[in-house]
Amino acid sequence: MALSVTKSESGEHLHSTFASRYVRSPVPKFRMPENSMPKEAAYQVINDELMLDGNPRLNLASFVTTWMEPECDKLMMDSINKNYVDMDEYPVTTELQNRCVNMIAHLFNAPVGDDEAAVGVGTVGSSEAIMLAGLAFKRKWQQKRKAQGKPYDKPNIVTGANVQVCWEKFARYFEVELKEVKLEEGYYVMDPVKAVEMVDENTICVAAILGSTLTGEFEDVKLLNELLTKKNEETGWDTPIHVDAASGGFIAPFLYPDLEWDFRLRLVKSINVSGHKYGLVYAGVGWVVWRTKDDLPDELVFHINYLGSDQPTFTLNFSKGSSQIIAQYYQFIRLGFEGYKDIISNCVENARVLREGLEKTGRFNIVSKEIGVPLVAFSLKDSSKHTVFEVAENLRRFGWIVPAYTMPANAEHVAVLRVVVREDFSRGLAERLVTNIMQVLKEIDSLPSRISTKAAHVTAATGETPEGEHDGKLHKKSVRETEEEITQYWRRFAEARRAGAC
């Protein structure tokens, strides 16, 4: 979705160097050309521009899979013209989706018998999966409230402030209050005790995260289940749990099989997982699975027949490509449990190499945990002269895209860098990244501090100084207050550099 259009210094036309072999007229950027052009020219015009994109393998901000085997690439291209939703025309693709749903349900220990079919659906990433799960919870809650003759116009969801933005989207789009458990320095996931305290009769579910985007940490779903079970017994409510396992759903079953977070816990009614993350499929495919058929209200499932037969559908969009569904099935049968375990174990090992390399520099605090998603989140021990945002900015010179960000409320003053370790991030790349980080630190250490410059900008913007007279009284800001101001400035600076698209 384009939010803004930025016109470059070169004007409103594209001037492609090599496409001049085919056409000499410039191509308009923001209007459709009046005339056609040779296919070779169209390819070259676009290819020239795409050369300025980053290298996906060096994009360490993303959890999304950037490499698959050539055989799977071919399967995807062979099926790219199939609209998955036309189940009557493409029954085999539909069958493959159903097999994937059942494999995932069994992986998550759903109470499904050998002769039963699991309840779930393929989605466009975990964002759609969360929307569907949230709608199911909202509708179930509304049905019960109506039957009881109670108000049903103020539903809420309890979750941590570390949730991914898709939860905020669900709350805003579908008019559900999002009650967030605030974070604190050193504890960057939802506190189950505080979460249960926030639950009331209008709570449609508590959402726990298996693999926080911020630090990769797994939330304690088992403790949440115990505390919520006790509160339900005391109040007569039946508040359920949804597990957002977008990142961790294809990690925990293979590396931590004894960890109880899934359908082994009675209150867990639905789970979403991203096939395009550690499910090892290109963007974008996600999955949502329900505990039983009763947890998905029938009224949310539509039945259509104008494609040739009666077809049940529960999606937010109607048209969807078949490629990612087929790719997910390929990965499941190609790798099996053993293959997934080997790949994820290797990711964890490479994350360890990176973490130890960063620790040896003596310059960073490791914020992420060893158990969780294979990523490394780290902050500068000393940010009095330079910030993590400077480090991230300078790493781009080597091709690395490493995100720098501040934590949510109430830990906004903590700023970190994060490296996601995917299958294609090798040990060699981990060692090279550490080397490049050391180069960046050495270079910025030799430069004048930007902190004083940015502090001056903060002063100009706010009218306040780190030390000065306010309301007739001498006020000296603490080091932490000053760092918070500088961090906020850098966050605004970084956000201002982003393109206006989502």
Side-chain angles (χ1 to χ4, degrees), residues 203-241:
T203 302
I204 64 175
C205 78
V206 179
I209 305 177
L210 194 79
S212 171
T213 301
L214 301 176
T215 62
E217 190 173 351
F218 293 165
E219 293 184 343
D220 194 340
V221 187
K222 184 177 182 179
L223 177 57
L224 175 65
N225 182 81
E226 293 172 356
L227 296 173
L228 194 54
T229 296
K230 184 177 180 180
K231 184 160 188 172
N232 284 343
E233 292 173 351
E234 294 172 350
T235 60
W237 304 334
D238 56 356
T239 308
I241 295 172

Side-chain angles (χ1 to χ4, degrees), residues 110 188 215 255 289 339 408 441 444 468:
Y188 303 117
T215 62
L255 298 188
V289 180
L441 291 174
I444 63 177

Side-chain angles (χ1 to χ4, degrees), residues 191-203:
D191 184 337
V193 176
K194 294 179 180 178
V196 172
E197 289 175 353
M198 296 175 69
V199 170
D200 59 32
E201 62 180 352
N202 293 321
T203 302

Side-chain angles (χ1 to χ4, degrees), residues 28 47 57 71 83 95 107 120 137 139 145 170 177 224 243 257 268 300 306 357 360 368 408 438-439 448 453 463 480:
N47 187 64
R57 193 171 181 185
E71 290 79 5
N83 183 9
E95 171 64 17
L107 192 66
F137 283 118
R139 190 55 55 89
R145 298 285 288 184
F170 168 76
E177 179 189 1
L224 175 65
V243 179
V268 174
L300 293 179
Y306 50 79
K360 288 178 181 178
S368 52
M438 288 304 298
Q439 288 177 265
T453 304
R480 176 165 171 169

Side-chain angles (χ1 to χ4, degrees), residues 300-456:
L300 293 179
V301 180
F302 285 81
H303 293 265
I304 55 103
N305 63 10
Y306 50 79
L307 291 178
S309 66
D310 179 71
Q311 299 173 8
T313 176
F314 181 37
T315 58
L316 295 182
N317 61 306
F318 194 64
S319 297
K320 180 170 60 179
S322 299
S323 296
Q324 275 74 19
I325 299 291
I326 293 169
Q328 185 74 84
Y329 184 68
Y330 171 89
Q331 293 290 53
F332 283 169
I333 66 169
R334 161 75 174 92
L335 297 172
F337 192 95
E338 178 188 34
Y340 270 93
K341 183 176 180 179
D342 288 344
I343 290 172
I344 303 303
S345 296
N346 190 58
C347 290
V348 170
E349 176 62 18
N350 290 333
R352 182 192 63 79
V353 171
L354 176 60
R355 182 175 61 252
E356 291 179 354
L358 292 170
E359 288 175 332
K360 288 178 181 178
T361 68
R363 301 290 297 271
F364 299 104
N365 290 315
I366 305 300
V367 176
S368 52
K369 308 296 183 182
E370 294 186 24
I371 295 180
V373 177
L375 62 79
V376 184
F378 50 105
S379 61
L380 281 168
K381 288 184 176 179
D382 180 9
S383 56
S384 61
K385 294 183 179 180
H386 302 284
T387 70
V388 293
F389 299 96
E390 287 180 78
V391 176
E393 184 181 1
N394 282 276
L395 281 172
R396 285 180 178 267
R397 293 189 292 109
F398 299 97
W400 300 108
I401 300 175
V402 179
Y405 53 87
T406 55
M407 292 295 186
N410 288 329
E412 300 97 326
H413 61 284
V414 179
V416 302
L417 295 153
R418 187 199 65 210
V419 173
V420 178
V421 178
R422 301 186 302 271
E423 180 184 6
D424 59 353
F425 185 79
S426 65
R427 178 168 183 154
L429 286 177
E431 293 169 345
R432 179 180 292 272
L433 176 59
V434 174
T435 299
N436 291 155
I437 288 174
M438 288 304 298
Q439 288 177 265
V440 166
L441 291 174
K442 184 178 180 180
E443 290 174 8
I444 63 177
D445 282 346
S446 66
L447 298 173
S449 171
R450 286 193 185 183
I451 294 294
S452 57
T453 304
K454 303 311 172 188

Side-chain angles (χ1 to χ4, degrees), residues 12 31 70 85-86 91 123-124 152 157 220 259 269-270 306 334 354 357 381 384 390 406 408 414 442 454 465 489 499:
E12 297 186 8
R31 295 179 182 272
V85 77
D86 194 350
T123 60
V124 183
Y152 52 90
I157 284 180
D220 194 340
L259 181 67
K269 302 298 183 181
S270 56
Y306 50 79
R334 161 75 174 92
L354 176 60
K381 288 184 176 179
S384 61
E390 287 180 78
T406 55
V414 179
K442 184 178 180 180
K454 303 311 172 188
T465 59
Y489 174 85

